[in-house]
């Protein structure tokens, strides 16, 4: 038996099995979206594949009743952890009226749900980072014990809104966790052409905040980093910048072809470190994930995705004229 | 009724609203200890404290974006852009985010933010402290743009903006701040957003404008009255979305329409007003729609004779009104 790392973090066997199941469900939802796209049933997919460990590990370290998240477009793992369902995601994929994110108005990957404390997202990158800072400021003004959590890619960490927002949060010591999901590529441009510093987390010092880089394929490492960041924020010690290193296993989106800018063996090599599989191996090695348990989880996820797909495909679109609604308060 | 300056009406509205609702807070550059570079937030820091009157870093996009985030999470921020010219770094937050959040979330999330900014020329502000920037935002459904002309309207409209559950851009003419005075009641009242107002009734020629130019038109109308020319003056007050009914009614009233702005002539608010009139009032018009505006050059130059050349003034308005009346 290997060393039990999750108990040391205060996580039960049930917790880590839930985390694993959420990661696997995120992967299965994503894989199904690609199939539906290639079959011509949905127009667009943008993937979480390769980042589920970071997403689920981080979201599990938050308080889902008190905290607010401002995720970016790959964060299926974050929103599933915060209560969104596979059916919700499929309704979004099919752009149906019942999609809780936008009623089919936005592309998939543009998450949002007031009930689930997920701020609504757009496509211009890092605008949500400022919103997370604003929600943290609002939380402080209202006297709530909460943090906000926002994510973005390493390419996006060059945007002005990231820097303006990080500085704002640093100056005002706001309870914000900035998490950069460094997946090595911003569409086709590799990280070496995005950053002049070695790590995104090196930027933390410029904003007077704690910075740390962790293995994004290891949900327990990410959980530990975010948990500590949350504790610092609650203690009034201000924001943190956590960078998770993983690898984008799919092309940027369903409209991209990554063979034009990266070698197939590079992707194959990265798959060996895929968090969904390495975490399963860990859980097996500590005797938590038995063979029986594993097939039970896989079956449950697959059934869930099947049912979600069937439901969403059959669900109605919004009425065309409904496009005129909700420009202003009605 | 007390007489107050335009900027005093801004401060009064902010003060009364902050006292009424503790969800309202102010954020911007120099708005706290200094009370704003124009002193619009004077006394508020002392009264409400640094938690509710926040001096931000020099970051316009974050001022808008942080405000938007706070608004989504239940607050009613009033953000100040120090000069309207400097709002451009925040355009992505205002146009991609504030304007679209209700729509894109299918009415789930809302952004009750007010963004105030002093605009306009005639103060030796040169290219980057004189601009009218309303046209940039005037084709963005989801936003409302308010540009008041009188202290009375400033107080009522700013209160309405702060209470609105949608994002409002509130542009204050910086030359009007201390130049324009008027009666402002101590009582709580609002002026509805989206409603133009007839500021003078007349029969011969209609002038439609907003902001400081309303006063230029009123002064010109006084002079023309001595010559027997009667001017009807409509203050648009909200430049987006426009009050179509009031525009159509005012155009039909005299059949001769002069549209005035100190913005460039091309692509501005008054072009849209002209389109509304052209669509709806063809058979009511007795003369071509006329536009008086700044020249189509990038912005207002610094040298006084050049600035004067760019700016509209009562004489230019009077001249344009007389020509139209005589058409």
């Amino acid at each position: 038996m290997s060393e039990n790392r999750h108990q040391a973090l205060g996580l039960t066997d049930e917790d880590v099995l839930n985390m694993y199941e959420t990661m696997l469900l995120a992967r299965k939802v994503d894989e199904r979206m690609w199939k539906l796209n290639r079959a011509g049933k949905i127009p667009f997919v943008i993937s979480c594949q390769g980042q589920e460990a970071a997403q689920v590990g981080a979201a599990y370290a938050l308080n889902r009743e008190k905290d607010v998240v401002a995720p970016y477009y790959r964060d299926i793992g974050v929103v599933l952890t915060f209560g969104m369902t596979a059916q919700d995601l499929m309704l979004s994929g099919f752009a149906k009226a019942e999609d809780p994110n936008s009623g089919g108005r936005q592309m998939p990957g543009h998450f949002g749900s007031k009930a689930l404390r997920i701020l609504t997202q757009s496509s211009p990158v890092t605008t949500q980072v400022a919103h997370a800072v604003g929600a943290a400021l609002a939380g402080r003004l209202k006297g709530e014990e909460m943090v906000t959590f926002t994510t973005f890619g390493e390419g996006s960490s060059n945007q002005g809104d990231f820097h303006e927002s990080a500085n704002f949060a640093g100056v005002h010591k706001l309870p914000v966790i900035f998490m950069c999901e460094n997946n090595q590529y911003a569409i086709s441009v590799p990280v070496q052409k995005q950053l002049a510093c070695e790590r995104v987390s090196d930027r933390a010092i410029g904003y007077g905040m704690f910075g740390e880089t962790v293995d994004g394929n290891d949900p327990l490492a990410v959980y530990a980093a975010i948990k500590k960041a949350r504790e610092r924020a609650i203690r009034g010690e201000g924001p943190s910048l956590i960078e998770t290193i993983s690898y984008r296993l799919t092309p940027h989106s369903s409209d991209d072809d990554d063979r034009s800018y990266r070698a197939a063996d590079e992707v194959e090599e990265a798959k060996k470190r895929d968090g969904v599989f390495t975490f399963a191996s860990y859980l097996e090695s500590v005797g938590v994930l038995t063979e029986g348990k594993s097939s039970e989880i896989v079956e449950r996820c697959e059934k869930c995705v099947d049912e979600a797909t069937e439901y969403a495909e059959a669900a109605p679109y919004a009425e065309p004229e409904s496009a005129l609604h909700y420009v202003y308060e009605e | 009724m007390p007489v107050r300056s335009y900027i005093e009406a801004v401060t009064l509205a902010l003060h009364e609203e902050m006292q009424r609702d503790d969800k309202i807070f102010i954020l911007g550059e120099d708005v706290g200890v200094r009370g704003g570079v124009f002193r619009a937030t004077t006394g508020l820091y002392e009264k409400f404290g640094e938690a509710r009157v926040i001096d931000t870093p020099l970051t316009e996009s974050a001022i808008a974006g942080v405000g938007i985030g706070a608004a989504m999470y239940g607050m009613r921020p009033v953000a100040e852009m120090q000069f309207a010219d400097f709002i451009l770094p925040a355009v992505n937050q205002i146009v991609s985010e504030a304007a679209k959040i209700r729509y894109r979330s299918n009415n789930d999330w809302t952004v009750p933010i007010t963004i105030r900014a002093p605009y306009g020329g005639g103060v030796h502000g040169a290219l980057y402290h004189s601009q009218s920037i309303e046209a940039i935002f005037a084709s963005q459904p989801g936003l409302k743009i308010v540009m008041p002309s009188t202290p009375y309207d400033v107080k009522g409209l700013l209160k309405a903006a702060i209470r609105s559950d949608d994002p409002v851009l509130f542009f204050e003419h910086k030359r009007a701040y201390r130049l324009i005075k008027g009666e402002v009641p101590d009582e709580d009242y609002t002026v509805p957003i989206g409603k133009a107002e007839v500021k003078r009734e007349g029969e011969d020629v209609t002038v439609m404008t907003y902001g400081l130019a309303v006063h230029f038109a009123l002064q010109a109308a006084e002079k023309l009255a001595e010559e027997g020319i009667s001017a009807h003056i409509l203050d648009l007050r909200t430049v987006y979305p426009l009050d179509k009914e009031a525009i159509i009614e005012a155009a039909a009233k005299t059949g001769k329409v002069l549209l005035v702005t100190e913005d460039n002539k091309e692509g501005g608010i008054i072009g849209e007003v002209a389109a509304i009139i052209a669509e709806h009032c063809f058979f009511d018009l007795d003369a071509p729609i006329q536009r008086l505006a700044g020249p189509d050059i990038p912005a207002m130059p610094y040298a006084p004779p050049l600035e004067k050349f760019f700016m509209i003034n009562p004489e230019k308005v009077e001249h344009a009104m007389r020509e139209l009346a005589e058409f």
Side-chain angles (χ1 to χ4, degrees), chain B residues 183-260:
Chain B
E183 291 188 334
V184 180
D186 285 326
E187 293 78 56
D188 179 42
Y189 66 92
T190 59
V191 170
I193 295 172
K195 293 285 174 206
E197 188 185 53
V198 175
K199 287 286 201 276
R200 182 186 173 109
E201 293 278 354
E203 304 299 330
D204 300 325
V205 55
T206 296
V207 181
M208 300 188 200
T209 185
Y210 53 95
L212 184 62
V214 170
H215 300 281
F216 297 164
L218 287 168
Q219 286 170 42
E222 281 294 313
K223 281 213 158 177
L224 290 169
E226 294 166 16
E227 299 169 27
I229 297 170
S230 160
H232 188 74
I233 296 172
L234 184 73
D235 179 358
L236 295 171
R237 300 200 294 196
T238 298
V239 300
Y240 192 80
L242 286 162
D243 184 351
K244 285 185 187 150
E245 242 173 79
I247 289 167
I248 292 164
E249 195 183 321
K253 175 105 193 269
T254 68
K256 291 182 174 180
V257 181
L258 172 66
L259 306 174
V260 183

Side-chain angles (χ1 to χ4, degrees), chain A:
Chain A
M1 284 257 212
S2 311
E3 178 203 350
N4 187 314
R5 294 172 54 225
H6 64 270
Q7 274 174 9
L9 293 168
L11 291 165
T12 64
D13 291 352
E14 197 189 341
D15 289 331
V16 284
L17 282 173
N18 278 336
M19 286 168 77
Y20 172 65
E21 183 160 346
T22 308
M23 286 165 57
L24 191 67
L25 182 61
R27 175 66 56 92
K28 297 272 180 202
V29 167
D30 203 284
E31 286 173 347
R32 177 62 57 86
M33 294 267 198
W34 278 90
K35 281 188 186 147
L36 291 166
N37 174 265
R38 293 317 190 218
K41 291 194 172 189
I42 64 172
F44 184 76
V45 189
I46 194 143
S47 278
C48 64
Q49 292 187 41
Q51 294 165 235
E52 297 92 339
Q55 294 166 359
V56 174
Y60 258 85
L62 300 171
N63 183 320
R64 281 161 269 174
E65 270 84 50
K66 292 180 175 175
D67 298 343
V68 168
V69 296
Y72 89 124
Y73 50 82
R74 299 199 187 279
D75 277 329
I76 291 183
V78 172
V79 299
L80 282 177
T81 308
F82 263 68
M84 205 164 274
T85 65
Q87 181 172 302
D88 295 337
L89 293 166
M90 279 298 167
L91 283 163
S92 162
F94 279 96
K96 296 299 178 68
E98 264 187 86
D99 158 33
N101 298 282
S102 77
R105 290 177 172 200
Q106 293 217 77
M107 297 169 115
H110 294 61
F111 307 112
S113 164
K114 202 168 190 176
L116 300 178
R117 311 180 70 78
I118 303 166
L119 297 179
T120 171
Q121 302 307 313
S122 64
S123 305
V125 293
T126 69
T127 50
Q128 79 279 9
V129 176
H131 304 166
V133 175
L137 177 65
R140 172 182 288 177
L141 287 164
K142 291 197 272 186
E144 294 180 9
E145 193 187 84
M146 55 88 80
V147 308
T148 62
F149 170 78
T150 186
T151 57
F152 45 90
E154 78 287 353
S156 302
S157 78
N158 298 311
Q159 286 282 350
D161 267 0
F162 164 71
H163 295 278
E164 290 198 18
S165 305
N167 184 60
F168 195 113
V171 166
H172 289 280
K173 283 212 170 305
L174 291 169
V176 186
I177 302 170
F178 300 86
M179 189 172 99
C180 176
E181 296 182 31
N182 182 344
N183 66 10
Q184 319 293 325
Y185 284 91
I187 304 189
S188 68
V189 180
V191 64
Q192 305 89 307
K193 288 185 181 171
Q194 292 287 349
L195 303 175
C197 50
E198 195 184 333
R199 298 186 175 93
V200 173
S201 65
D202 291 340
R203 291 173 160 174
I205 194 169
Y207 306 117
M209 68 174 81
F210 179 90
E212 184 183 6
T213 296
V214 295
D215 179 2
N217 288 316
D218 180 357
L220 298 179
V222 179
Y223 173 86
I226 299 298
K227 193 164 182 247
K228 280 187 218 142
R230 190 177 189 281
E231 285 163 0
R232 283 192 298 273
I234 294 293
R235 284 200 302 267
E237 292 168 26
S240 299
L241 173 59
I242 309 298
E243 176 187 22
T244 62
I245 306 286
S246 55
Y247 189 88
R248 197 189 74 208
L249 296 175
T250 61
H252 166 72
S253 74
S254 51
D255 295 330
D256 180 35
D257 183 354
D258 61 338
R259 290 170 300 184
S260 64
Y261 55 82
R262 63 182 184 183
D265 55 359
E266 181 187 304
V267 183
E268 286 312 308
E269 193 56 35
K271 281 183 180 168
K272 292 178 192 160
R273 297 186 297 275
D274 181 345
V276 173
F277 296 102
T278 55
F279 193 46
S281 304
Y282 162 77
L283 294 174
E284 285 161 14
S285 73
V286 291
V288 173
L289 188 68
T290 58
E291 218 169 283
K293 204 92 183 154
S294 177
S295 48
E296 196 183 299
I297 289 173
V298 169
E299 270 170 41
R300 200 156 49 224
C301 287
E302 283 173 351
K303 184 161 175 270
C304 177
V305 172
D306 284 344
E307 286 171 359
T309 307
E310 205 175 313
Y311 182 89
E313 191 170 10
Y317 287 112
E319 290 298 321
E321 294 75 15
S322 74
L324 298 174
H325 286 292
Y326 308 137
V327 179
Y328 299 100
E329 186 179 23
E330 290 177 10

Side-chain angles (χ1 to χ4, degrees), chain B residues 145-167:
Chain B
I145 309 173
V146 176
M147 301 181 78
S149 65
T150 66
Y152 180 91
D153 285 351
V154 164
K155 181 178 164 183
L157 281 164
L158 185 50
K159 282 174 170 255
I162 292 168
R163 295 178 196 184
S164 167
D165 285 331
D166 289 305

